[in-house]
Amino acid sequence: MKLGVCTSPENIEKAAQAGFDYVEFSLSFIAGMEEEAFQALAAKAPSFPIPALKCNGFFPGTVKLTGPDVCKKQVEEYLEKALSRAKKLGIKVLVLGSGAARQVPEGWDFAKGWQQFMELLQLVGRYAEKYDMDVALEPLRRKECNILNLVSEGLLVSAAVDHPRINVLGDTFHMHCCREPLSSLTNAGSRLRHVHVSCPKADESGRVFPARNDGQDYAALINTLKEMNYQGDVSVEAGCTDFLEDGKEVVACLKPLI
């Protein structure tokens, strides 16, 4: 089990200095880079101080996955560009949250929205197979998306899609906001492909980097993962004040548990 952090390419040196094992980039950011800038980044990938193994931020909000504005050609063109670029960076796991893209529009038949999303996942699975990557579906709190909110739902969707590349992610912030217990991770079993961790703000308006004595029971999370023989990694996904110093505190807080 490795400890990573969700951040931009410009922070990779600091992430390494802080003690993280890998970085998790935004796929939509990578896909949106100008060609010259991306090629420069890809050329540096072999010499990154720590590898870029994951990507979150799968789809931008402009690529609709449900509703009347879904365009299969647009989705396929995006998948080809995004995953081919991710492959050049060494990415192994893609996190599919993308609440703005998958949100079922008001007035749209919800059952139809689910059908569109399930069909989308079959397409994503084919591209993931092509580029030898795994996809982890990210349940999002209801405030951010009206479809797929619980890890337990993610497990059902993964099972229904029944594609070896489509699995599940557990994000402790969204689980906290939805009052979902850690047992949902255990129930996901071998389909749990990735985990995001953070410290939720008291009013649940956001999340910050974990720290020692911040009131969160990170040992319970890590022990749950160990007991279920979890084969994936854990990434910190949150805001911070000082990336390097706050990152060092995360490592001091979580690495001994791992």
mmCIF file of all heavy atoms in Angstrom, residues 169-195:
data_model
loop_
_atom_site.group_PDB
_atom_site.id
_atom_site.type_symbol
_atom_site.label_atom_id
_atom_site.label_comp_id
_atom_site.label_asym_id
_atom_site.label_seq_id
_atom_site.Cartn_x
_atom_site.Cartn_y
_atom_site.Cartn_z
ATOM 1 N N LEU A 169 -13.847 3.172 -6.109
ATOM 2 C CA LEU A 169 -13.009 3.967 -5.213
ATOM 3 C C LEU A 169 -13.804 4.306 -3.959
ATOM 4 O O LEU A 169 -15.017 4.493 -4.013
ATOM 5 C CB LEU A 169 -12.561 5.257 -5.907
ATOM 6 C CG LEU A 169 -11.795 6.260 -5.026
ATOM 7 C CD1 LEU A 169 -10.607 6.835 -5.789
ATOM 8 C CD2 LEU A 169 -12.702 7.409 -4.571
ATOM 9 N N GLY A 170 -13.116 4.397 -2.848
ATOM 10 C CA GLY A 170 -13.724 4.898 -1.618
ATOM 11 C C GLY A 170 -13.039 6.194 -1.217
ATOM 12 O O GLY A 170 -11.816 6.231 -1.086
ATOM 13 N N ASP A 171 -13.807 7.260 -1.077
ATOM 14 C CA ASP A 171 -13.278 8.567 -0.678
ATOM 15 C C ASP A 171 -13.825 8.880 0.716
ATOM 16 O O ASP A 171 -15.044 8.981 0.908
ATOM 17 C CB ASP A 171 -13.704 9.635 -1.676
ATOM 18 C CG ASP A 171 -13.123 11.013 -1.366
ATOM 19 O OD1 ASP A 171 -13.391 11.528 -0.258
ATOM 20 O OD2 ASP A 171 -12.419 11.566 -2.218
ATOM 21 N N THR A 172 -12.962 9.043 1.691
ATOM 22 C CA THR A 172 -13.411 9.201 3.068
ATOM 23 C C THR A 172 -14.240 10.468 3.284
ATOM 24 O O THR A 172 -15.112 10.501 4.160
ATOM 25 C CB THR A 172 -12.222 9.195 4.048
ATOM 26 O OG1 THR A 172 -11.354 10.311 3.773
ATOM 27 C CG2 THR A 172 -11.443 7.891 3.950
ATOM 28 N N PHE A 173 -14.001 11.506 2.486
ATOM 29 C CA PHE A 173 -14.784 12.736 2.619
ATOM 30 C C PHE A 173 -16.221 12.510 2.188
ATOM 31 O O PHE A 173 -17.171 12.859 2.900
ATOM 32 C CB PHE A 173 -14.154 13.863 1.804
ATOM 33 C CG PHE A 173 -14.976 15.123 1.776
ATOM 34 C CD1 PHE A 173 -15.157 15.874 2.928
ATOM 35 C CD2 PHE A 173 -15.577 15.564 0.606
ATOM 36 C CE1 PHE A 173 -15.925 17.040 2.915
ATOM 37 C CE2 PHE A 173 -16.333 16.721 0.573
ATOM 38 C CZ PHE A 173 -16.504 17.469 1.726
ATOM 39 N N HIS A 174 -16.390 11.920 1.019
ATOM 40 C CA HIS A 174 -17.745 11.664 0.532
ATOM 41 C C HIS A 174 -18.452 10.635 1.400
ATOM 42 O O HIS A 174 -19.662 10.738 1.643
ATOM 43 C CB HIS A 174 -17.694 11.211 -0.927
ATOM 44 C CG HIS A 174 -17.147 12.253 -1.850
ATOM 45 N ND1 HIS A 174 -17.784 13.447 -2.083
ATOM 46 C CD2 HIS A 174 -16.000 12.291 -2.584
ATOM 47 C CE1 HIS A 174 -17.071 14.177 -2.920
ATOM 48 N NE2 HIS A 174 -15.978 13.504 -3.231
ATOM 49 N N MET A 175 -17.700 9.651 1.887
ATOM 50 C CA MET A 175 -18.287 8.665 2.798
ATOM 51 C C MET A 175 -18.745 9.342 4.088
ATOM 52 O O MET A 175 -19.826 9.044 4.614
ATOM 53 C CB MET A 175 -17.274 7.558 3.105
ATOM 54 C CG MET A 175 -16.947 6.679 1.905
ATOM 55 S SD MET A 175 -15.672 5.432 2.270
ATOM 56 C CE MET A 175 -16.602 4.322 3.344
ATOM 57 N N HIS A 176 -17.942 10.264 4.593
ATOM 58 C CA HIS A 176 -18.294 11.003 5.798
ATOM 59 C C HIS A 176 -19.572 11.814 5.583
ATOM 60 O O HIS A 176 -20.495 11.781 6.415
ATOM 61 C CB HIS A 176 -17.139 11.925 6.192
ATOM 62 C CG HIS A 176 -17.473 12.906 7.273
ATOM 63 N ND1 HIS A 176 -17.444 12.593 8.610
ATOM 64 C CD2 HIS A 176 -17.851 14.215 7.202
ATOM 65 C CE1 HIS A 176 -17.792 13.648 9.329
ATOM 66 N NE2 HIS A 176 -18.053 14.646 8.502
ATOM 67 N N CYS A 177 -19.645 12.527 4.473
ATOM 68 C CA CYS A 177 -20.806 13.382 4.198
ATOM 69 C C CYS A 177 -22.078 12.569 3.972
ATOM 70 O O CYS A 177 -23.187 13.043 4.257
ATOM 71 C CB CYS A 177 -20.530 14.260 2.981
ATOM 72 S SG CYS A 177 -19.248 15.512 3.251
ATOM 73 N N CYS A 178 -21.928 11.354 3.465
ATOM 74 C CA CYS A 178 -23.084 10.476 3.222
ATOM 75 C C CYS A 178 -23.328 9.513 4.377
ATOM 76 O O CYS A 178 -24.198 8.639 4.277
ATOM 77 C CB CYS A 178 -22.883 9.698 1.926
ATOM 78 S SG CYS A 178 -22.948 10.723 0.434
ATOM 79 N N ARG A 179 -22.547 9.660 5.464
ATOM 80 C CA ARG A 179 -22.682 8.810 6.651
ATOM 81 C C ARG A 179 -22.539 7.331 6.288
ATOM 82 O O ARG A 179 -23.280 6.481 6.782
ATOM 83 C CB ARG A 179 -24.026 9.060 7.346
ATOM 84 C CG ARG A 179 -24.313 10.532 7.652
ATOM 85 C CD ARG A 179 -23.276 11.129 8.596
ATOM 86 N NE ARG A 179 -23.597 12.523 8.933
ATOM 87 C CZ ARG A 179 -23.026 13.592 8.395
ATOM 88 N NH1 ARG A 179 -22.077 13.425 7.479
ATOM 89 N NH2 ARG A 179 -23.352 14.806 8.754
ATOM 90 N N GLU A 180 -21.577 7.043 5.432
ATOM 91 C CA GLU A 180 -21.360 5.664 5.010
ATOM 92 C C GLU A 180 -20.234 5.032 5.822
ATOM 93 O O GLU A 180 -19.148 5.602 5.933
ATOM 94 C CB GLU A 180 -21.026 5.607 3.517
ATOM 95 C CG GLU A 180 -21.009 4.186 2.968
ATOM 96 C CD GLU A 180 -20.906 4.133 1.448
ATOM 97 O OE1 GLU A 180 -20.446 5.123 0.844
ATOM 98 O OE2 GLU A 180 -21.276 3.097 0.883
ATOM 99 N N PRO A 181 -20.443 3.869 6.406
ATOM 100 C CA PRO A 181 -19.443 3.246 7.279
ATOM 101 C C PRO A 181 -18.282 2.627 6.506
ATOM 102 O O PRO A 181 -18.393 2.351 5.303
ATOM 103 C CB PRO A 181 -20.247 2.161 8.001
ATOM 104 C CG PRO A 181 -21.303 1.773 7.007
ATOM 105 C CD PRO A 181 -21.680 3.064 6.329
ATOM 106 N N LEU A 182 -17.178 2.395 7.214
ATOM 107 C CA LEU A 182 -16.016 1.772 6.600
ATOM 108 C C LEU A 182 -16.310 0.357 6.121
ATOM 109 O O LEU A 182 -15.605 -0.160 5.244
ATOM 110 C CB LEU A 182 -14.850 1.741 7.601
ATOM 111 C CG LEU A 182 -14.229 3.093 7.963
ATOM 112 C CD1 LEU A 182 -13.153 2.894 9.038
ATOM 113 C CD2 LEU A 182 -13.642 3.777 6.739
ATOM 114 N N SER A 183 -17.343 -0.252 6.662
ATOM 115 C CA SER A 183 -17.693 -1.602 6.228
ATOM 116 C C SER A 183 -18.041 -1.650 4.738
ATOM 117 O O SER A 183 -17.946 -2.708 4.116
ATOM 118 C CB SER A 183 -18.865 -2.142 7.050
ATOM 119 O OG SER A 183 -19.999 -1.300 6.952
ATOM 120 N N SER A 184 -18.415 -0.506 4.166
ATOM 121 C CA SER A 184 -18.691 -0.466 2.725
ATOM 122 C C SER A 184 -17.434 -0.758 1.916
ATOM 123 O O SER A 184 -17.508 -1.332 0.829
ATOM 124 C CB SER A 184 -19.269 0.894 2.318
ATOM 125 O OG SER A 184 -20.570 1.059 2.826
ATOM 126 N N LEU A 185 -16.284 -0.360 2.447
ATOM 127 C CA LEU A 185 -15.024 -0.667 1.771
ATOM 128 C C LEU A 185 -14.773 -2.174 1.815
ATOM 129 O O LEU A 185 -14.405 -2.779 0.807
ATOM 130 C CB LEU A 185 -13.865 0.078 2.441
ATOM 131 C CG LEU A 185 -13.959 1.600 2.484
ATOM 132 C CD1 LEU A 185 -12.753 2.175 3.225
ATOM 133 C CD2 LEU A 185 -14.042 2.183 1.074
ATOM 134 N N THR A 186 -14.997 -2.747 2.986
ATOM 135 C CA THR A 186 -14.827 -4.195 3.139
ATOM 136 C C THR A 186 -15.745 -4.947 2.190
ATOM 137 O O THR A 186 -15.335 -5.914 1.532
ATOM 138 C CB THR A 186 -15.122 -4.623 4.588
ATOM 139 O OG1 THR A 186 -14.290 -3.868 5.477
ATOM 140 C CG2 THR A 186 -14.849 -6.101 4.777
ATOM 141 N N ASN A 187 -16.995 -4.490 2.099
ATOM 142 C CA ASN A 187 -17.974 -5.153 1.235
ATOM 143 C C ASN A 187 -17.591 -5.060 -0.237
ATOM 144 O O ASN A 187 -17.946 -5.943 -1.025
ATOM 145 C CB ASN A 187 -19.358 -4.552 1.446
ATOM 146 C CG ASN A 187 -19.925 -4.852 2.813
ATOM 147 O OD1 ASN A 187 -19.459 -5.764 3.495
ATOM 148 N ND2 ASN A 187 -20.922 -4.092 3.236
ATOM 149 N N ALA A 188 -16.871 -4.010 -0.613
ATOM 150 C CA ALA A 188 -16.449 -3.861 -2.009
ATOM 151 C C ALA A 188 -15.425 -4.920 -2.394
ATOM 152 O O ALA A 188 -15.266 -5.246 -3.579
ATOM 153 C CB ALA A 188 -15.879 -2.463 -2.244
ATOM 154 N N GLY A 189 -14.713 -5.451 -1.402
ATOM 155 C CA GLY A 189 -13.783 -6.552 -1.645
ATOM 156 C C GLY A 189 -12.732 -6.236 -2.696
ATOM 157 O O GLY A 189 -12.146 -5.153 -2.713
ATOM 158 N N SER A 190 -12.535 -7.183 -3.588
ATOM 159 C CA SER A 190 -11.490 -7.038 -4.603
ATOM 160 C C SER A 190 -11.814 -5.973 -5.637
ATOM 161 O O SER A 190 -10.945 -5.584 -6.418
ATOM 162 C CB SER A 190 -11.273 -8.382 -5.314
ATOM 163 O OG SER A 190 -12.449 -8.801 -5.974
ATOM 164 N N ARG A 191 -13.055 -5.488 -5.646
ATOM 165 C CA ARG A 191 -13.409 -4.419 -6.583
ATOM 166 C C ARG A 191 -12.988 -3.028 -6.084
ATOM 167 O O ARG A 191 -13.086 -2.054 -6.818
ATOM 168 C CB ARG A 191 -14.910 -4.432 -6.879
ATOM 169 C CG ARG A 191 -15.354 -5.622 -7.723
ATOM 170 C CD ARG A 191 -16.826 -5.531 -8.086
ATOM 171 N NE ARG A 191 -17.278 -6.712 -8.812
ATOM 172 C CZ ARG A 191 -17.281 -6.816 -10.140
ATOM 173 N NH1 ARG A 191 -16.845 -5.815 -10.876
ATOM 174 N NH2 ARG A 191 -17.718 -7.919 -10.721
ATOM 175 N N LEU A 192 -12.524 -2.939 -4.824
ATOM 176 C CA LEU A 192 -12.015 -1.664 -4.319
ATOM 177 C C LEU A 192 -10.627 -1.445 -4.909
ATOM 178 O O LEU A 192 -9.661 -2.092 -4.518
ATOM 179 C CB LEU A 192 -11.947 -1.668 -2.790
ATOM 180 C CG LEU A 192 -11.527 -0.339 -2.162
ATOM 181 C CD1 LEU A 192 -12.581 0.742 -2.395
ATOM 182 C CD2 LEU A 192 -11.277 -0.499 -0.659
ATOM 183 N N ARG A 193 -10.534 -0.531 -5.847
ATOM 184 C CA ARG A 193 -9.283 -0.337 -6.599
ATOM 185 C C ARG A 193 -8.432 0.799 -6.075
ATOM 186 O O ARG A 193 -7.224 0.817 -6.265
ATOM 187 C CB ARG A 193 -9.619 -0.096 -8.077
ATOM 188 C CG ARG A 193 -8.411 -0.074 -9.006
ATOM 189 C CD ARG A 193 -7.728 -1.425 -9.031
ATOM 190 N NE ARG A 193 -6.550 -1.415 -9.869
ATOM 191 C CZ ARG A 193 -5.341 -1.038 -9.468
ATOM 192 N NH1 ARG A 193 -5.160 -0.597 -8.221
ATOM 193 N NH2 ARG A 193 -4.315 -1.081 -10.285
ATOM 194 N N HIS A 194 -9.064 1.791 -5.405
ATOM 195 C CA HIS A 194 -8.299 2.956 -4.961
ATOM 196 C C HIS A 194 -9.050 3.629 -3.816
ATOM 197 O O HIS A 194 -10.261 3.451 -3.651
ATOM 198 C CB HIS A 194 -8.117 3.922 -6.135
ATOM 199 C CG HIS A 194 -7.136 5.018 -5.899
ATOM 200 N ND1 HIS A 194 -6.008 4.855 -5.119
ATOM 201 C CD2 HIS A 194 -7.110 6.316 -6.326
ATOM 202 C CE1 HIS A 194 -5.329 6.004 -5.101
ATOM 203 N NE2 HIS A 194 -5.981 6.889 -5.810
ATOM 204 N N VAL A 195 -8.314 4.419 -3.007
ATOM 205 C CA VAL A 195 -8.893 5.119 -1.864
ATOM 206 C C VAL A 195 -8.358 6.550 -1.818
ATOM 207 O O VAL A 195 -7.168 6.788 -2.048
ATOM 208 C CB VAL A 195 -8.558 4.382 -0.537
ATOM 209 C CG1 VAL A 195 -8.945 5.231 0.666
ATOM 210 C CG2 VAL A 195 -9.256 3.030 -0.486
#
